[in-house]
Each structure stands twice: as structure tokens, then as C-alpha cells.
Amino acid sequence: MDMIYLDSNATTKVHPEVVEAMLPYLTDQCYNPSSGYRAGKKVKDAVELAREQVASLIGADIREIYFTGCGTEANNAVLYSLAGMCGENRKIITSEIEHSAILRVCEHLTERGFEIIKIGVDGGGRLDLDAWEKAVNADGVAFSTLMWANNETGIIQPIAEACALAKAAKVPFHTDAIQAVGKTVVDVREVPVDYLSISGHKFHAPKGIGALYVRSGIRFEPMFRGGGQESGYRSGTENVASIVAMGKAAEIMQAKLGSDGHAGVAELRDYLETIIKDSLDGVQVNGAVEYRTANTAHLAFEDCEASGLLILLDEYGVACSAGSACMTGKQQPSHVQKAMGFSNERANSSLRISLSIFTTREEVEEAAKMVIKAVNKLRSVQGRGNVGPVVIYTE
Ligand SMILES: Cc1ncc(COP(=O)(O)O)c(C=O)c1O
């Protein structure tokens, strides 16, 4: 890579072993898995192996995994399915900090008479469970959806508790686990969610492949109808190469979680934070650190606008982001940080730095140096306590 990439919550590099596994299905093994001849059946076997690998990563049964075109599709498919099956019930229980792939769907459903109830989080970015309990026990609840880990802060939600409360109230429970799968243990035997969304490109598979977990015995109404692939849950000729890739990536991440549970990634993330905090004053770590995914640091730099920092860091060869990638370029403070009670200043001065299993110690040291340089530069041109328009002098 021609820069230090610290934006792995946005997307990740495809693992070389994953590239190797998928390549034959882009070239010689081009057959349709639905074809009856032996070559087609072999391709079908590759899809089923991938299903097994993805199922194994989250402790699911192979018959509970359906491949989708991306994580957004998995979220949309579940929410519209639930909205179509909920009878007279019209309340959707979710959180203030969901990704737009949940929030925009919920907002669209309000046009069909649904009401969204967004439960808040505390200053550490964790769900208010008392409010959640009250909400799922109200009359007329259609379904509930809560992310497993947040894409901006990396904060892991009290998912087992929220799931148990929803189930006790007989409310269907979906989780957007896109930022958790492959980074922390996600096991549907321990947390009995009804539905769960996964995205391959967050854990070293290519972009444009996702999966949906639907617990056996739980109803689901497909969004796509057609050739009946994926047991009729997602028609459309399978994206075999990407499915194989996601399976291989799942296998690699499962082995990684089993061996060191990403301790090496967390150690590098903590090292980066330590260097930065030791060299700069006015740095705050956002979110409840004990609940973070191993790879994410979310830092606020007093008297520094993140938009300016990003431009300087790009100039210095470091890629990271302010809030989520989808927020970049927008002026409003992130809805996640607002939900955590941050002032506009703090929200607009926060950087998301997200590592991966490929991040090296040398990269962390160099990136920390560049962050310190960028913050000092920005503070020198803007003046401490006097955040005005961002003025950038590049070298
Ligand atoms: C929490 C969360 N949900 C959904 C998505 C969307 O996934 P995809 O890019 O595969 O559509 C993302 C990606 O940024 C995410 O972080």
C-alpha cells in the first residue's frame, strides 16, 4: 500500500489467501452452481463449503446462513421482511447509534405507518438497557434491531442482555453484527438472536458480499424472488467467487480469534494511543474502553477540527476517518457522538483510527508521529481555544 491504512472499519484489504481461494471461480471454474453437470456441482460444493465456514465463525448451523449482495442488503432484507410480517404492530425498537443501513430503512418504514423508538446510549456509547426493556415491553412492538458493535467507536453493545429482554417480551430481535464479526466472538448459540447481518469486506473478503443468519424455525419473507437460489431466501445467481472468498476469510478470522483473539491488534491500538497521549495534551479517548473491539481507537483532539486533521494526515500519508466513512465531508457532528452527549466541538474534533490484522508496529509508530505533527500544526495555525475556519498549509 502507498500509505498507512488505518481505516479498517470502512473496509479491509482482501487477504492474500482469500484472493488465492477465489481466483479459480473468476477464471476456469466459471460454472453456474445450479447447473446439473459435474463441473457445476463442484462449484456448488465450493459455495456450500463457504456456507459452512461462515456458519462456523458465528456458531450457526449451515442451513441458517444465506448469502447476500452486501451487509446493507442483509439489513434491508430482514427489516422489510419483519415489517411485512408484524400484523397490526407498528413500533420498531432500535438505538440512536445505528448505521444508516438500519436508520434509513426504519425512516422509510415510517412512511408505511411505523413509529421508530430510538433508545439512547450512555457517555461510554453503550445502550441504556432500562429504556430498552421498557420499550420492548410496550404495546404494539413489531420488532427490535440493535447493532452488535458500533462502526465509529467500536463499542460493543450489551447484546446478550438486549436480546434476552426482547425475547422475554416476545419481540423479534435482529442484530447488525457487521462491525463485530471477525473482530470479536459472535456466537448465536450464546446470544440467541433471531436474525444477524454480516459483511465480508469488514474482515478481509472483497466488497459486495454479505450474509444473513436466520435462526432455524424463525420466519423470513424474501426481498428478492426469482430462481430460488439460497433456499428461496435470496434469488439471483450466486456470486461464487466472493462467496468462496468470504468463506475463506471467515475461516482465517475464526483461527485468529481462536489463537490470540486479536490481542496483537489491541496491543498495537493501545500503543498508538499511548504514544499520542504521551506527546499531546488535550486528547480524550471516546467511549468505554473496556468494551471496544480490538482494532478501534476513537480520539478527540481539543481545539482541532477533524476535517482539517484528515486533510493533513492524507498529505502525510495516513488514511483514517472522522466518524464513519459515510459521514466524511458532511458538516454535521456524528449522530453517534451526539447520542453519547458530546458537544459539537468534541464530536467535530474526533478521529476514528481503525487497525487490522495487517497493521504493523512500524506503521503505528509512523502514524502516531504524523497525528502528533498534524495536531500541532493545526493548533499552531488555528490557535488553542480559538477554533475558526480550517486553514491548511501543506509542506
Ligand atoms: C454497522 C454497519 N452496518 C452496515 C454496513 C454496511 O455494510 P456494506 O458496506 O457491506 O453494505 C456497515 C459498513 O460500513 C457498517 O459498519
Side-chain angles (χ1 to χ4, degrees), residues 88-99:
E88 297 298 301
N89 296 329
R90 281 291 175 271
K91 283 185 187 147
I92 301 170
I93 315 300
T94 187
S95 80
E96 298 255 18
I97 59 164
E98 298 298 308
H99 190 270

Side-chain angles (χ1 to χ4, degrees), residues 9-10 70-73 75 99 101 147 149 151 176 178-179 199 201-202:
N9 283 6
C70 57
T72 300
E73 183 191 319
N75 282 347
H99 190 270
M147 66 191 343
N151 46 300
D176 172 347
I178 286 167
Q179 289 290 345
S199 175
H201 74 104
K202 306 295 185 184

Side-chain angles (χ1 to χ4, degrees), residues 162-173:
C163 175
L165 289 167
K167 299 209 97 172
K170 302 209 171 353
V171 167
F173 183 81

